[in-house]
């Protein structure tokens, strides 16, 4: 069974940093199109970042220059390094694997940015 | 950037109703359009991909159609477990960019 498990969320002050992890089983993160998608409280879904199986990376304008996506082949884990966090980054962060579409999702990890 | 606008934003219906949700793109897009269902506190689940292909395991009462700038998700006979929020989503390949609609909340009347 394919499974994605996120971790690393927490409460951080504005300007702070966090690293989110997405541990995969049943698929290899570096061989797939992987994304981070977030959902602010009571709001809709927002794509954040993607890493393709050729190693190329892409970002939403709202996080460009502050967030970095990466993958660790031997740990089979996707990461999202988040710097210069803002109040508006408060959200549940999901990792998702793109096959036909985003067909596999993790359960999410919650990030809160507050002073 | 392409924008996706769903209508309605919310919808009240009863079990057995036929429900249609529309997703309009700000410009003509390929059929790389998907529909998701999300229940409170849970991640989204994929219902439809490539505008009209039913994801494995999804009940056949769900269907998708459309092309160009207008796409629809139809639930032929609403079941109690279908009350949820629905999102459309497009993948633009060049440059890679993912866009979600704002969501449609389907509530019981």
């Amino acid at each position: 069974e394919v499974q994605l498990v996120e971790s690393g969320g927490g409460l951080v002050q504005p300007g702070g940093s966090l690293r989110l992890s997405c541990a995969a089983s049943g698929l290899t993160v570096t061989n797939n199109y992987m994304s981070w998608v977030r959902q602010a409280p009571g709001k809709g879904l927002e794509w954040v970042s993607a890493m393709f199986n050729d190693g190329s990376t892409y970002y939403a304008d709202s996080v460009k220059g502050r967030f970095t996506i990466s993958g660790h082949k031997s740990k089979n884990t996707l990461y999202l390094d988040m710097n210069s966090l803002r109040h508006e980054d408060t959200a549940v962060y999901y990792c998702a694997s793109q096959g036909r579409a985003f067909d596999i999702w993790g359960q999410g990890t919650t990030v809160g940015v507050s002073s | 950037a392409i924008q996706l606008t769903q209508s309605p934003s919310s919808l009240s219906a009863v079990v057995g109703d036929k429900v249609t949700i529309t997703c309009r793109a700000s410009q003509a897009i390929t059929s790389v359009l998907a529909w998701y269902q999300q229940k409170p506190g849970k991640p989204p689940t994929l219902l439809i991909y490539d505008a009209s292909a039913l994801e494995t395991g999804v009940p056949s009462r769900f269907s998708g159609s459309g092309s160009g700038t207008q796409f629809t998700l139809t639930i032929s006979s609403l079941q109690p477990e279908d009350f949820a929020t629905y999102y459309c989503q497009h993948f633009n390949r060049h440059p890679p960019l993912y866009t979600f609609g704002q969501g449609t909340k389907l509530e019981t009347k």
Side-chain angles (χ1 to χ4, degrees), chain A residues 39 47 52 98 100 102 106, chain B residues 36 38 43 49 55 91 98:
Chain A
Q39 188 168 35
W47 171 75
F52 289 179
Q98 180 181 352
R100 298 164 291 282
F102 289 138
Chain B
Y36 301 86
Q38 187 181 32
Y49 62 94
E55 172 70 345
F91 171 45
Y98 301 78

Side-chain angles (χ1 to χ4, degrees), chain B residues 31-70:
Chain B
S31 294
V32 187
L33 186 112
W35 290 94
Y36 301 86
Q37 178 192 70
Q38 187 181 32
K39 296 182 179 179
K42 298 294 186 181
T45 59
L46 177 64
L47 299 173
I48 301 286
Y49 62 94
D50 291 346
S52 60
L54 192 68
E55 172 70 345
T56 302
V58 174
S60 59
R61 62 181 180 273
F62 291 93
S63 64
S65 65
S67 63
T69 61
Q70 184 160 328

Side-chain angles (χ1 to χ4, degrees), chain B residues 17-46:
Chain B
D17 279 354
K18 179 179 180 179
V19 168
T20 299
I21 298 169
T22 298
C23 177
R24 288 187 175 84
S26 56
Q27 59 187 273
I29 61 175
T30 66
S31 294
V32 187
L33 186 112
W35 290 94
Y36 301 86
Q37 178 192 70
Q38 187 181 32
K39 296 182 179 179
K42 298 294 186 181
T45 59
L46 177 64

Side-chain angles (χ1 to χ4, degrees), chain A residues 74-112:
Chain A
S74 61
K75 293 184 178 180
N76 203 20
T77 299
L78 183 74
Y79 299 103
L80 186 68
D81 288 296
M82 305 187 296
N83 298 312
S84 303
L85 283 162
R86 306 167 180 169
H87 290 290
E88 56 265 34
D89 296 318
T90 294
V92 175
Y93 284 72
Y94 298 102
C95 68
S97 170
Q98 180 181 352
R100 298 164 291 282
F102 289 138
D103 46 8
I104 306 293
W105 296 71
Q107 288 299 307
T109 187
T110 301
V111 172

